[in-house]
């Protein structure tokens, strides 16, 4: 466990918005995407397009929730839209290994993954940011974990 507070935002500027969840299981630190109804769900295209903004689910602090508490369907999700250079904690997918300075993209399930490790040359590599800390989740049974990402 890290020594800093139980928060998604680490440092830098961001806009805060709230949107309705179109699915259950959205965790703080997940990358989101807005649907045609203006609701949000987990970003689901691997290394794919983000639209014009990066949406990161934040802990629901006003309800006394932590980064470990998921949002339920139809609940109001607190969201950070970070500016370039802002550092936020994002959920790294289990199985991934990140080095400091490594670029990250969407894992296709709300989590993030290493951008250099594309599965096929046809995959987009839309980079979200770079890792500010190393993390090794390659052990069997490893869970998704929050990691500091500087938005690029």
């Amino acid at each position: 466990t890290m020594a800093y507070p139980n928060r998604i935002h680490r440092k830098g500027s961001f806009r805060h918005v709230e949107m309705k969840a179109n699915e259950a299981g959205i965790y703080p630190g997940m990358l989101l995407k807005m649907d045609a109804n203006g609701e949000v769900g987990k970003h689901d295209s691997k290394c794919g397009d983000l639209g014009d903004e990066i949406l990161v689910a934040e802990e629901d602090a006003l309800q006394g929730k932590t980064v470990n508490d998921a949002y339920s369907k139809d609940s109001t999700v607190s969201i950070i839209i970070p500016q370039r250079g802002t550092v936020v904690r994002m959920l790294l997918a289990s199985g991934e290994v990140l080095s400091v300075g490594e670029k990250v993209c969407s894992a296709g399930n709300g989590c993030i993954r290493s951008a250099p490790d594309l599965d096929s040359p046809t995959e987009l590599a839309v980079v979200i940011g770079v890792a500010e800390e190393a993390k090794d989740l390659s052990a069997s049974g490893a869970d998704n974990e929050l990691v500091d990402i500087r938005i690029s």
Side-chain angles (χ1 to χ4, degrees):
T1 56
M2 304 303 279
Y4 44 78
N6 200 2
R7 298 183 58 209
I8 294 305
H9 176 254
R10 295 281 279 126
K11 58 187 173 193
S13 303
F14 65 93
R15 204 152 49 89
H16 176 262
V17 296
E18 293 180 344
M19 297 182 197
K20 189 171 169 181
N22 64 16
E23 63 178 323
I26 295 173
Y27 279 89
M30 279 189 165
L31 182 67
L32 306 178
K33 77 172 197 184
M34 191 165 64
D35 67 15
N37 299 317
E39 298 178 355
V40 289
K42 299 168 198 161
H43 188 276
D44 60 2
S45 64
K46 193 188 291 180
C47 285
D49 193 17
L50 300 167
D52 293 327
E53 56 194 6
I54 292 170
L55 304 174
V56 181
E58 192 180 12
E59 71 278 4
D60 193 0
L62 294 177
Q63 310 299 325
K65 306 277 204 227
T66 73
V67 293
N68 300 312
D69 295 313
Y71 289 93
S72 53
K73 185 173 175 5
D74 296 330
S75 65
T76 300
V77 184
S78 289
I79 298 167
I80 284 176
I81 305 176
Q83 294 181 359
R84 287 179 77 148
T86 293
V87 178
V88 291
R89 296 169 76 202
M90 297 187 75
L91 265 184
L92 182 66
S94 63
E96 289 287 316
V97 179
L98 268 192
S99 307
V100 173
E102 197 166 341
K103 294 176 180 177
V104 297
C105 64
S106 174
N109 61 357
C111 295
I112 56 169
R113 58 174 280 173
S114 166
D117 303 337
L118 292 180
D119 296 330
S120 81
T122 58
E123 282 182 7
L124 290 171
V126 179
V127 171
I128 299 162
V130 298
E132 284 213 332
E133 63 175 322
K135 187 78 77 171
D136 184 345
L137 303 183
S138 62
S140 67
D143 285 329
N144 305 331
E145 277 189 40
L146 290 167
V147 60
D148 285 8
I149 301 297
R150 188 174 69 252
I151 303 299
S152 53

